[in-house]
Amino acid sequence: GSDDIIAGNVSKYIVLPAGYYGQPKKGHLIFDACFESGNLGRVHHVTEFEYDLFIRPDTCNPRFRVWFNFTVENVKESQ
């Protein structure tokens, strides 16, 4: 479930639509949080324009998730 413990950050994680096989195309987003203060733990593809993002809790205060820091690459125009 969505309450599972998220242990680490995503690192150059390519999100492909369900049932898609092959090389990533423009618009298949690449998420990365593998850097200091990055905190994106998991990404689920919902639609071409919608993703569920799961943010790791703050190291010093696990009760709160009040900020986020990650990058997104491989976007296409109008996405």
Side-chain angles (χ1 to χ4, degrees):
S2 62
D3 292 332
D4 293 342
I5 295 173
I6 302 171
N9 291 328
V10 297
S11 179
K12 296 289 183 180
Y13 181 71
I14 302 170
V15 182
L16 300 173
Y20 178 85
Y21 300 99
Q23 293 295 318
K25 298 179 182 178
K26 194 75 166 171
H28 291 158
L29 301 184
I30 302 170
F31 292 85
D32 187 35
C34 196
F35 48 86
E36 186 176 345
S37 77
N39 67 339
L40 183 62
R42 194 169 63 227
V43 180
H44 293 169
H45 179 269
V46 178
T47 68
E48 180 182 3
F49 300 105
E50 184 179 352
Y51 296 81
D52 286 337
L53 306 178
F54 297 85
I55 304 300
R56 289 188 316 100
D58 187 5
T59 304
C60 296
N61 194 346
R63 290 184 52 209
F64 298 105
R65 292 172 174 90
V66 296
W67 57 276
F68 53 90
N69 193 4
F70 57 90
T71 64
V72 180
E73 301 174 35
N74 204 38
V75 298
K76 64 182 178 182
E77 190 173 334
S78 300
Q79 191 177 19

